[in-house]
Amino acid sequence: MAAIKQIDADMPDRSLAFVLGAGASVTSGIPAGMTLATGWLKEMHGRHCLDGQALEAWVASGQPSIDGLTIENIAQYYPQIFEKCFGNDPDSGFAALEQLMERAEPYLGYSLLAEIIDKTRHKVVVTTNFDNLVADALSIHNRKPPLIVGHESLAGFARPRLRRPLVAKIHRDLMLHPKNDAQGVGCLAQGWADALKQLFQNFTPLFIGYGGNDGSLMGFLNNLPQGAILGRPIWCKRKDTVLSETVQTFLEIHRGVVCTIEGFDEFMFPLMQTLVPDFDLAGHCNGVEQLGKQRAEKLRQQAEQIQQAHAGNGLEANESHLKQDMTDTLKNDFNWWTWEMRAQGEKDPDKRDAIYRKALAALPSNAELAGTYAIFLKDIRKDYDTAERFHKKALELAPNDGRHAGNYAVFLYGIRKDYDGAERFYKKALELAPDHSTHTGNYAVFLNEIRKDYDGAEQFYKKALELDPNDANRTGNYAIFLCNIRKDYNGAERLYKKALELAPNDANHTGNYCQFLLAQGEQARGKELLKRAFSLNPSGFALQLELWFCCLAHFPAEYPQAEQKIRTLLAEGARSNGGDFRDNIARAEADGHPNIPLLRELADAISETTQHAA
């Protein structure tokens, strides 16, 4: 380990290349070459030995006609045994290997290796294995995917200077007719020989789980002249194994270092401590758990977005067809989300309410259902007392779930106007789920509109977009902030456009960009978006108020009903908390609007502020 530490700490221009053999994959569910070869040998013994000889005696008698094979050196004759067993039908052998490897999952050692590859400059893996355990481990942890070179015809892409991790499969990928016979394993393809010469001139090889029993890689290594490898190669061997003469010769020529280890997974712990000293295993495991939850939540959100995007678009037949198609895929009545999607797919509020009640009767202790029912009661039924009761129930059932804390914060902020309580629950939500983009973005809006902490708000707006750069709502909210607070109109327009690219059929983003363009004097483009926003059937009262205000401020002659529409909505209790119409009023005044006092009066009523007063 001292040699590895010296390379990592004292030689920033030098990196390790991990050379992995079959021994690295055993705990992941892929048998070692010795185990596979023994199994195939037993299979042939069962097929061809008809006189009852034991396996040892059968092999000793010269069967199955493999020169030099003994019961003690089976591992060294792996390719010959594979060829003998599947010689007439190699595809059946590959099929057997596929079955083994499809069931394999990266064991802890590969998880740690993925973290090393991601966090350090040591990003090259050379392997005789066919499996995808390195790539799978990187994917599980959401790390940058590697370049996988799985065929000698592509070996030229295995270059020392790469922008991403490299996995070089010198015996080919499992799906590309892997080299498993004596000829294929006995000699390294010229493309790989050229590529490995370059790699080992730039990387110090660290051999783990590799016994040197093939003629290809081991033959290549033994033909390398002294000085052809950067630094001293490091060869890991298990306590219970003896290095072959071929390996010992290689290490002598290149002044190699032998490292005795318990096993691949066990070795990864001290290696991790050496290369990533601040690594925390508990945090590593929690990250995987959170990533899985986030992926599941994103899939649900995407399904819900598709469902909502096709609701109320006027294409009744297509909408009905899609609704039925989606409903047909929801079969598990013991899954809360099955009920949630059924409820969301129902337009009639009474029928939707009935679905929720049936769901809660079936799953009375489900926090997610309690939480989504609370939102329905708040947004659709306007039954705020019952909504609060279900918000609290969700919190009682899942006190450590940041989603419920964040949703209750939104309720306290928007409905109860309990700003201190809202902030307390926003902070709790972010403490429980610091990487939740929605709660991060909602807290940014709260800091902006209520606390007037604009620097703090911008920090959270930016963090929300870092967490999810393709979130249309967070993008649109930050655009409004840049427009209204920072007066960064170029930056705001860029984000307004991006929000619409991400959600082209969203009435809110369409209306917000419309309001921005009209305030900037872009009458033609603004009017086009105004019509489109109305055509998208905006259901939110706040958006309806904002759109009718744009009609009144910028096209009073064309929309004589605008004032009455606004007053009717206001009488029904509609408001747009935090709405800012100052730029639109200034533009209307510059364009000669006949009744600016009326615009200021209505703007203050809509936003429940006096910011628009003269």
Side-chain angles (χ1 to χ4, degrees):
M1 199 59 70
I4 296 173
K5 186 173 184 178
Q6 182 184 23
I7 291 171
D8 185 66
D10 301 336
M11 301 178 180
D13 59 335
R14 186 175 297 185
S15 301
L16 297 167
F18 303 99
V19 183
L20 305 182
S25 301
V26 172
T27 52
S28 296
I30 301 175
M34 170 73 171
T35 304
L36 290 172
T38 301
W40 296 328
L41 197 59
K42 288 179 178 178
E43 186 178 330
M44 287 187 287
H45 173 254
R47 284 202 307 253
H48 302 299
C49 181
L50 304 178
D51 59 5
Q53 274 186 309
L55 178 66
E56 292 80 0
W58 186 68
V59 172
S61 69
Q63 296 299 326
S65 304
I66 298 176
D67 291 341
L69 174 66
T70 68
I71 205 70
E72 289 80 20
N73 65 6
I74 290 175
Q76 297 176 33
Y77 286 85
Y78 169 95
Q80 291 86 347
I81 294 172
F82 176 87
E83 191 172 11
K84 205 73 174 176
C85 186
F86 302 105
N88 295 327
D89 187 13
D91 281 347
S92 65
F94 297 145
L97 289 172
E98 281 183 33
Q99 276 197 327
L100 281 172
M101 295 182 190
E102 283 173 359
R103 293 195 298 265
E105 290 187 4
Y107 205 68
L108 182 56
Y110 274 102
S111 181
L112 301 182
L113 178 61
E115 195 73 4
I116 290 171
I117 290 171
D118 182 67
K119 293 289 193 298
T120 72
R121 64 181 185 275
H122 314 295
K123 298 184 181 297
V124 171
V125 175
V126 177
T127 181
T128 56
N129 302 335
F130 315 135
D131 60 60
N132 290 309
L133 293 172
V134 174
D136 288 348
L138 286 165
S139 175
I140 287 170
H141 296 282
N142 203 28
R143 305 309 188 209
K144 182 180 287 188
L147 169 63
I148 301 174
V149 182
H151 195 280
E152 60 273 13
S153 63
L154 303 172
F157 291 97
R159 300 185 298 271
R161 299 287 175 261
L162 291 168
R163 291 186 294 274
R164 61 180 58 251
L166 166 68
V167 178
K169 297 185 175 184
I170 62 172
H171 288 169
R172 296 186 182 172
D173 184 84
L174 180 62
M175 304 301 171
L176 299 176
H177 203 288
K179 294 193 173 185
N180 220 32
D181 57 9
Q183 182 179 355
V185 176
C187 181
L188 190 67
Q190 188 58 48
W192 277 124
D194 295 339
L196 293 184
K197 281 178 185 175
Q198 285 192 56
L199 286 175
F200 290 149
Q201 285 171 2
N202 289 272
F203 297 87
T204 299
L206 170 57
F207 297 86
I208 317 171
Y210 175 61
N213 293 318
D214 64 318
S216 54
L217 178 58
M218 200 65 236
F220 164 79
L221 292 171
N222 274 328
N223 285 326
L224 288 177
Q226 193 173 41
I229 292 177
L230 181 68
R232 303 172 67 186
I234 304 165
W235 196 289
C236 297
K237 77 170 201 69
R238 295 177 64 101
K239 285 182 178 180
D240 54 355
T241 60
V242 177
L243 294 178
S244 68
E245 290 185 10
T246 326
V247 172
Q248 291 182 41
T249 300
F250 163 73
L251 293 173
E252 288 172 7
I253 292 172
H254 297 280
R255 300 180 301 110
V257 177
V258 177
C259 180
T260 302
I261 64 175
E262 294 283 345
F264 173 68
D265 304 288
E266 293 83 353
F267 174 66
M268 283 296 125
F269 282 97
L271 185 64
M272 177 65 82
Q273 288 296 92
T274 300
L275 300 179
V276 189
D278 61 347
F279 173 76
D280 174 58
L281 181 59
H284 183 69
C285 295
N286 287 341
V288 178
E289 183 179 13
Q290 290 302 317
L291 186 62
K293 288 181 178 178
Q294 289 168 13
R295 284 178 172 170
E297 187 174 349
K298 275 193 174 182
L299 290 175
R300 294 189 191 107
Q301 288 174 350
Q302 289 161 9
E304 291 165 8
Q305 286 167 4
I306 291 172
Q307 187 182 61
Q308 292 165 9
H310 289 267
N313 59 6
L315 305 175
E316 296 297 332
N318 288 343
E319 181 187 333
S320 175
H321 184 66
L322 175 67
K323 177 182 174 182
Q324 188 60 50
D325 286 343
M326 295 191 78
T327 302
D328 288 346
T329 66
L330 301 166
K331 300 179 175 67
N332 185 359
D333 284 353
F334 294 98
N335 186 304
W336 73 271
W337 190 64
T338 295
W339 292 101
E340 175 63 19
M341 285 294 284
R342 289 172 182 169
Q344 292 295 332
E346 179 54 64
K347 283 185 176 182
D348 185 284
D350 292 336
K351 292 180 180 179
R352 189 187 296 187
D353 198 324
I355 292 172
Y356 273 123
R357 291 181 181 279
K358 188 176 179 180
L360 288 163
L363 302 170
S365 299
N366 187 273
E368 285 83 0
L369 273 176
T372 55
Y373 187 44
I375 294 171
F376 166 77
L377 291 169
K378 170 176 72 78
D379 292 344
I380 306 301
R381 290 297 203 193
K382 311 300 180 184
D383 182 354
Y384 300 131
D385 291 341
T386 309
E388 185 162 23
R389 180 161 59 84
F390 275 94
H391 273 305
K392 289 180 176 179
K393 181 178 179 180
L395 284 166
E396 289 171 7
L397 291 169
N400 295 320
D401 191 323
R403 291 173 299 172
H404 304 310
N407 290 337
Y408 189 40
V410 172
F411 176 86
L412 292 174
Y413 164 34
I415 303 302
R416 299 302 192 203
K417 312 301 180 188
D418 177 3
Y419 300 134
D420 291 340
E423 185 159 27
R424 187 167 65 254
F425 276 95
Y426 275 130
K427 289 180 175 179
K428 181 178 180 180
L430 292 173
E431 179 184 340
L432 292 169
D435 294 333
H436 197 291
S437 64
T438 300
H439 300 324
T440 303
N442 287 344
Y443 188 44
V445 173
F446 175 84
L447 291 174
N448 172 24
E449 295 184 354
I450 302 303
R451 299 306 191 202
K452 309 302 180 186
D453 177 5
Y454 300 131
D455 291 341
E458 185 159 26
Q459 178 185 345
F460 279 95
Y461 279 125
K462 288 180 176 178
K463 183 181 178 183
L465 287 177
E466 286 173 8
L467 291 169
D468 189 353
N470 294 319
D471 187 316
N473 290 334
R474 300 323 128 215
T475 302
N477 287 342
Y478 189 31
I480 294 170
F481 175 84
L482 290 178
C483 173
N484 295 341
I485 304 302
R486 298 305 192 199
K487 305 301 179 184
D488 177 4
Y489 298 123
N490 291 333
E493 182 163 22
R494 187 172 64 253
L495 291 178
Y496 279 127
K497 287 180 177 178
K498 183 179 178 181
L500 270 180
E501 288 171 6
L502 293 168
N505 296 319
D506 187 283
N508 282 294
H509 301 314
T510 305
N512 290 338
Y513 190 30
C514 155
Q515 183 182 345
F516 170 82
L517 289 174
L518 291 173
Q520 298 301 307
E522 296 274 357
Q523 293 255 338
R525 292 169 63 200
K527 189 175 184 179
E528 183 181 334
L529 284 177
L530 181 64
K531 291 178 179 179
R532 173 157 176 74
F534 275 123
S535 74
L536 291 170
N537 298 321
S539 58
F541 289 159
L543 178 58
Q544 291 178 38
L545 278 171
E546 292 165 6
L547 293 177
W548 284 116
F549 186 86
C550 286
C551 293
L552 182 63
H554 301 284
F555 309 106
E558 296 180 49
Y559 293 93
Q561 75 274 39
E563 181 184 349
Q564 186 55 49
K565 289 283 188 180
I566 293 171
R567 293 195 183 280
T568 300
L569 286 166
L570 288 172
E572 292 174 354
R575 296 294 185 273
S576 175
N577 292 331
D580 191 331
F581 304 97
R582 286 173 294 185
D583 288 345
N584 296 89
I585 293 173
R587 176 59 60 182
E589 189 170 15
D591 290 342
H593 192 283
N595 198 342
I596 295 300
L598 173 66
L599 293 181
R600 292 193 175 114
E601 172 205 333
L602 293 176
D604 285 343
I606 291 170
S607 60
E608 294 188 312
T609 68
T610 57
Q611 64 179 350
H612 305 95

